[in-house]
Amino acid sequence: MRTRRMQAGRSARWRCAAVVVAAGMIVAGCGGSDEFAAGLSDAIGSTSDVNPKSVDELREGGNLRLATTSYPANWNTLSNDGNDAEIAEIMRPMMPRSFEIDAAGQLSVDTNYFTDVALTGSDPMQVTYSINPSAVWSDGSPITWEDIAAQANALSGRDKRYLIAITNGFEFVEKVARGIDDRQAILTFSTPFADWRGQFAGNSTLYPKSVTSTPEAFNTSLVDAISLTAGPFIITNTDRSQGRIVLGRNPKWWGAKPVLDTITYSVLDRTSWVQALQNNELDLAQLATIDDVKTVSGTENLIIRRAPGNRWRHITFNGAAGSILADPAVRVAISKAIDRQGIVSAIQNGLVESPRPLNNHVFLQGQKGYQDNSLGYDPVAASRELDALGWVRTGDSRTKDGRKLVIRDVMYNDPTWVQIAQIIQQNLATIGVELTIDTKPATGYFTDVIQPGDFDAAQFTFQGDPFPLASLRQIYYYDPNDLQGNFGRIGSPELNALIERTLTELDPQKSTELANQVDRKVFEEGHSLPLMQSDGSFGARTTLANIGSPGLATYDYTKIGFAK
C-alpha cells in the first residue's frame, strides 16, 4: 500500500505510494560534489544501514526516542484519514503483518503471526493464511480468520460507507472462508490478483474485526486512540497536548522478548529534528539536507546511516471540473515546462553522487521494471502547446476567455518544498504561467486540504513497499464515487481498463510491461509528476543497533536496542 508523507517523507508503495501520507523536506546543499555523496546512489538496491548486532551485544532495556511531525488524526492506517506513513511507522511495532522483507525486497513469512501464507488454488485463485496458534490481540483474544474476513470485506470497496484509503486487491476477493479451524482463512478470488502477497504486508497491516466489521467502527473508532494491537509493544501512554506517544512491552506478547523497555515518539517540527539529535533528545531521525548530514557527522556520539530510500517527492495536479488545470492538455504542457533535473540537482547536490529525477510512477530507480516513461523537459513545446490551446500570452501572463493562467501550488510549510516551488515558479514564468506558493501547517494538511482537493498543484511524498501494483488502483484509477488516493480526480476509462489488466495479470514479465504502459498513460494524462527519490540519510546514536536507514527492509522491533 502506498503511504503519503508530508515532511521528510510523510505520504504510498515501493514505486510509488499507498497513500499513507508523507510530505518530504530537503533543503538544497551548496557547492558541487561533496565527500558525503561519494559512491551514494539514489537507486534502490540490496542494502540497508542499520548497525546489525546480536541481542547478546545489546544492553537490556532502554528507551528509544523518535520524532513525528504531528499527532495521529486516525490510528486506522487503512482509512483515508489515517493513511499516513508517520502513523504507520508508529503502528509497526504493534500490528500483525504477513511477511518480513529484507533489504533486497525479498519476502519471508512472519512466523510470529502466520505459520504459512500460500497460493493454494489457481482456478479459482485461492490464498490460504494459517495463523500462528499463539497469536493474540492485546486483550488476550485470539487472532482468527474472522479478523481477516472483516478486513477483506471492509476494503473490498463494495460498501462505500467505509472510507478506505486503498482496496489493496480485496475488490477481487469473492469470499473469505474458515479453513481447518478458526486459525486459518481461505481467500477465494473472483479474478487473479498479481500482488496478493502484499494484502497484509509492507505498508498494510491486519486490524481486529472490532475495527473493520462496521463502517462506523472503521471510520471513527480509532480517531482518539488505538484499541487492540498485537505486537511486541503496546501503547502505554499518550498525551495529545504534549505531543507524546509512549510504547511499552506487551505483556501478552508470545514471541521473543524485546530488548527495549519503551519507544517514545515526540511531536516535533521537522526543522528541529537535527537540533534534538544534537541535544540528546532523540536517538534517530531522518535527515533532510546536506547541512543536516554535515552537522550530524560533526557531532560526538552521532553517526550517519544511509541506504537508498523508498520515498519519493512528486507533484499532484487537480483535474476536477472547473479547476484551472481541468484540461489534460494544459497539465501536460505545464509538466513539460518543469525542469525536474534542475530541481533534483538543486535539492540533492551533495547528498547523492549523481542526482537524477525519478521518471516512473510505478517503479523506483534500481528496481526491476524501472524505465523512463516521462514526456521530457521541453519548455518550447510547452509554450507552443499552450498557444494552440488558446491561452494567449501577453507579456508575462496568459489568459483565455478572461481567465488568467495562475496555478496555486500547495505544500507543507517546509523550506525544501518552498525551494522546489520557487524553482517551478521560475520555470513556468518562462512560458507565461504564474505560480503562487501556498504553504500549510502539518496538522490537517491531508484531511482538510488535499483530500477535499483545495489546490491546483500539491506537493507531498509517497512512501512505498515491495508491492507496487495495488497502488495503481489506489492512486491512478478514477472512480468519482471512490477516490481513495486519487486526490487530483484525474483519470479515464482507458487508464482504468489498463490498470485492471495489470492487476489481474499473474505473469511477472507481462504485468511489468503493463505497469509501464500504465505509467506512460499517467504521464500522458498529466495526472502527476514524479520528482526524485529519497537519499535515505538518517542521523543516529552510535550505540543504536538494528535500526537506521532500512532501504526496503522491515525492522525486527524485538532486536532494536543499544550496544553494551
Side-chain angles (χ1 to χ4, degrees), residues 259-484:
V259 172
L260 292 169
D261 290 320
T262 55
I263 302 174
T264 300
Y265 294 87
S266 297
V267 176
L268 296 173
D269 186 272
R270 178 61 187 82
T271 56
S272 67
W273 287 11
V274 170
Q275 184 177 353
L277 273 173
Q278 284 186 294
N279 293 343
N280 196 23
E281 297 166 356
L282 294 176
D283 298 307
L284 178 73
Q286 187 178 8
L287 307 180
T289 72
I290 185 61
D291 289 336
D292 286 351
V293 170
K294 290 178 177 179
T295 298
V296 170
S297 297
T299 302
E300 188 178 4
N301 299 323
L302 294 180
I303 192 170
I304 302 298
R305 303 280 178 211
R306 288 203 289 185
N310 62 337
R311 298 170 180 174
W312 54 276
R313 295 174 181 269
H314 83 290
I315 306 167
T316 280
F317 297 115
N318 190 342
S323 68
I324 194 71
L325 298 179
D327 185 345
V330 174
R331 297 194 299 269
V332 168
I334 295 297
S335 297
K336 291 179 180 178
I338 296 174
D339 183 4
R340 295 182 302 126
Q341 180 61 62
I343 292 171
V344 177
S345 296
I347 301 302
Q348 290 195 335
N349 186 29
L351 289 171
V352 296
E353 197 166 54
S354 300
R356 50 189 170 165
L358 180 65
N359 292 314
N360 199 298
H361 295 84
V362 182
F363 303 105
L364 293 179
Q365 293 169 5
Q367 184 183 11
K368 185 178 180 181
Y370 178 84
Q371 64 185 47
D372 184 349
N373 295 316
S374 67
L375 302 180
Y377 171 56
D378 193 342
V380 174
S383 185
R384 185 172 61 245
E385 290 167 14
L386 290 176
D387 289 341
L389 291 168
W391 287 97
V392 178
R393 181 169 185 174
T394 304
D396 294 331
S397 62
R398 290 180 181 269
T399 58
K400 180 180 180 180
D401 300 329
R403 191 177 190 185
K404 200 171 182 180
L405 187 48
V406 179
I407 298 170
R408 184 168 61 92
D409 187 8
V410 172
M411 70 216 68
Y412 172 73
N413 189 10
D414 166 79
T416 301
W417 279 126
V418 172
Q419 184 181 5
I420 290 172
Q422 289 170 339
I423 296 172
I424 295 172
Q425 190 178 55
Q426 294 167 6
N427 292 160
L428 297 186
T430 65
I431 62 167
V433 176
E434 295 182 40
L435 182 134
T436 60
I437 299 171
D438 188 1
T439 59
K440 303 290 183 182
T443 302
Y445 181 70
F446 285 95
T447 55
D448 301 337
V449 179
I450 303 302
Q451 289 178 23
D454 185 16
F455 61 89
D456 297 324
Q459 298 179 176
F460 53 96
T461 300
F462 281 128
Q463 173 173 299
D465 56 35
F467 311 101
L469 299 185
S471 292
L472 297 181
R473 187 180 187 102
Q474 179 190 15
I475 309 300
Y476 308 114
Y477 192 98
Y478 181 59
D479 178 350
N481 298 314
D482 185 19
L483 291 174
Q484 295 187 37

